[in-house]
Amino acid sequence: MADSAETFDLITMGRVGVDIYPLQTGVPLPRVESFGKFLGGSPTNVAVAAARLGRTAAVITRTGDDPFGTYVHEALKEFGVDDRWVTPVAAYPTPVTFCEIFPPDDFPLYFYRQPKAPDLEIHPGELDLDAVRRARIFWMTGTGLSAEPSRTATLAALEARNKAGEAPAATVFDLDWRPMFWKEGAGDDPAEARTYYTEAMRHATVAVGNIDECEIATGVREPRACAQALLDAGVELAVVKQGPAGVLAVHRDGTTAEVPPVPVDVVNGLGAGDAFGGSLCHGLLAGWDLEKTVRYANAAGAIVASRLACSSAMPTAAELDALIARG
């Protein structure tokens, strides 16, 4: 992968694909007649969300050497996300993901990542570790730990962050538990995955996840216990997403923020977490206090949940400011 002397606000690493979403809501997939095509993959969407807020962002990932791979490059450029570290894998197709949309809270996902997703074929020797070190925020996910060589590459990137000269803004571990992705890698035993999660948390400064993901990482479910367990594992900031109960964020210095959910008419909740992540990075980069950062991230998630798409639905700063101003 190409070297660069440029310093990015955010570099994300991991999953990419094409989302094929129904254009009708409340219709089972066998009866859907029309679909929309969107850029997908959680860390990719986080980069898009941050770029929409004016941040410089890049993605480290891999696609198939196929038309959908071409589409990924075109979409990234359209969203203002640098694609220099997005490379093709001839052996595997670019993944696609279908979903069903049953608002307000049922959005089944169907991942087509067989026989193996190209984004799990990131090799350690291909990484531009100098760029990873320089990035103000580096964002990786649990899925990146699910199979080799992605696992070793992800851990190598995390270790490189520890050797950064100037202290970066954050190294974020999106806990991102997808058990179906582990079955062909390390097995789908949560205890086995927890071993790799524990190693990653030794290098990360921020951990973000919902209650189920926090349980995979720590073995506990109660939100405050989850946050404390994440802090004990090595991070400085634990962000626990609780769905209808809002978000709990606890910093090692004792600062705590509890933010209730923003009420919206949900259309598709699948991209809300990625919008939350991009806005969380924006707040961390801006040096905002914890409550403001989490409140903005929560608002970003709400806006995307009220829209059909994920990547193209990411809000602008003006939209976020307007929603926050309305209380």
Side-chain angles (χ1 to χ4, degrees):
M1 295 186 181
D3 293 334
S4 168
E6 184 174 357
T7 297
F8 287 93
D9 289 328
L10 172 66
I11 294 178
T12 69
M13 178 174 174
R15 199 161 73 248
V16 73
V18 179
D19 291 342
I20 310 294
Y21 283 0
L23 298 182
Q24 299 91 36
T25 62
V27 179
L29 203 54
R31 298 211 299 271
V32 173
E33 295 182 353
S34 57
F35 296 84
K37 178 174 95 281
F38 308 98
L39 182 67
S42 181
T44 302
N45 285 340
V46 169
V48 170
R52 187 66 61 87
L53 295 173
R55 299 298 179 177
T56 57
V59 179
I60 300 171
T61 191
R62 306 196 74 181
T63 69
D65 188 9
D66 54 28
F68 276 146
T70 301
Y71 167 73
V72 166
H73 283 276
E74 292 174 350
L76 286 170
K77 290 174 182 176
E78 181 180 342
F79 289 127
V81 176
D82 196 290
D83 67 341
R84 72 186 69 184
W85 298 304
V86 181
T87 58
V89 178
Y92 304 121
T94 302
V96 296
T97 303
F98 288 85
C99 77
E100 293 177 296
I101 300 176
F102 301 111
D105 58 4
D106 186 17
F107 308 100
L109 279 168
Y110 304 92
F111 294 98
Y112 290 78
R113 291 169 59 87
Q114 264 57 26
K116 185 179 185 181
D119 54 58
L120 294 175
E121 280 291 302
I122 301 172
H123 291 259
E126 298 170 332
L127 296 175
D128 184 345
L129 293 178
D130 287 338
V132 170
R133 290 186 192 98
R134 286 193 304 270
R136 297 179 66 195
I137 293 180
F138 176 68
W139 178 289
M140 46 71 64
T141 76
T143 295
L145 301 172
S146 68
E148 294 290 4
S150 172
R151 181 186 305 126
T152 297
T154 301
L155 293 173
L158 286 173
E159 290 172 4
R161 294 289 286 176
N162 292 342
K163 301 173 184 175
E166 182 179 346
T171 300
V172 184
F173 181 7
D174 176 2
L175 301 179
D176 181 43
W177 172 244
R178 304 278 184 177
M180 69 287 290
F181 297 163
W182 286 76
K183 293 179 180 179
E184 295 181 5
D188 59 353
D189 180 1
E192 192 168 358
R194 189 172 298 143
T195 301
Y196 301 113
Y197 274 51
T198 300
E199 185 173 355
M201 284 188 289
R202 290 177 44 240
H203 303 290
T205 62
V206 180
V208 182
N210 60 34
I211 294 294
D212 290 339
E213 291 166 337
C214 289
E215 183 179 19
I216 293 298
T218 67
V220 297
R221 283 190 66 85
E222 194 280 323
R224 286 192 174 272
C226 284
Q228 187 58 55
L230 292 169
L231 295 176
D232 291 344
V235 303
E236 298 173 8
L237 174 63
V239 182
V240 182
K241 296 183 283 188
Q242 306 173 77
V247 179
L248 168 68
V250 181
H251 196 278
R252 184 179 297 281
D253 66 9
T255 306
T256 300
E258 290 189 81
V259 178
V262 178
V264 294
D265 292 328
V266 175
V267 174
N268 182 0
L270 293 175
D274 304 335
F276 182 101
S279 185
L280 177 71
C281 292
H282 180 63
L284 293 172
L285 290 165
W288 293 345
D289 64 62
L290 186 57
E291 178 155 347
K292 180 177 180 180
T293 298
V294 176
R295 195 170 295 278
Y296 262 74
N298 225 22
I303 287 174
V304 172
S306 70
R307 298 170 175 174
L308 174 65
C310 294
S311 53
S312 60
M314 298 301 171
T316 63
E319 289 172 322
L320 279 170
D321 289 339
L323 181 58
I324 293 292
R326 290 200 299 269

